């Protein structure tokens, strides 16, 4: 997909993920924030942070933050998603 700018990607990601999601085990994840971390004329890095909480029968309640990074590259016709990387939990 083509984006006009890194901020356009950030806004579209936030719009599409603007609702809680529940997995098969009952854990609920909510998008906390999406930010443009860095931007040059050729590349940009955006990070999304999800808050997940739930209950595990063996270990009890839990809550974690999970981060995902996106790298966009500038092309002649706009910005394109180049890669996505899960950065783990906080």
């Amino acid at each position: 997909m083509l984006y006009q700018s890194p901020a356009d990607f950030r806004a579209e990601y936030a719009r599409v993920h603007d609702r809680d999601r529940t997995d098969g085990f009952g854990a609920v994840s909510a998008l906390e924030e999406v930010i443009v971390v860095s931007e040059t004329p050729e590349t940009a890095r955006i990070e999304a942070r999800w808050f997940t909480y739930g209950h595990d029968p063996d270990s009890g309640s839990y809550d974690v933050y999970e981060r995902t990074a996106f790298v966009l590259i500038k092309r002649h016709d706009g910005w394109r998603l180049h890669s996505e990387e899960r950065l783990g939990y906080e």
Side-chain angles (χ1 to χ4, degrees), residues 7-75:
D8 182 41
F9 173 86
R10 184 200 65 75
E12 180 65 15
Y13 186 89
R15 184 189 67 77
V16 169
H17 295 92
D18 186 29
R19 60 189 163 291
D20 294 352
R21 60 183 186 191
T22 305
D23 70 12
F25 300 102
V28 177
S29 295
L31 183 62
E32 283 281 312
E33 66 179 349
V34 184
I35 57 172
V36 177
V37 176
S38 65
E39 183 177 348
T40 69
E42 295 86 24
T43 63
R45 180 182 172 95
I46 293 98
E47 287 188 11
R49 187 168 79 161
W50 290 85
F51 176 67
T52 302
Y53 63 92
H55 184 270
D56 180 72
D58 296 327
S59 59
S61 296
Y62 61 90
D63 57 355
V64 296
Y65 286 100
E66 181 179 12
R67 296 180 324 150
T68 304
F70 305 94
V71 174
L72 278 66
I73 54 172
K74 175 78 174 191
R75 301 291 179 139

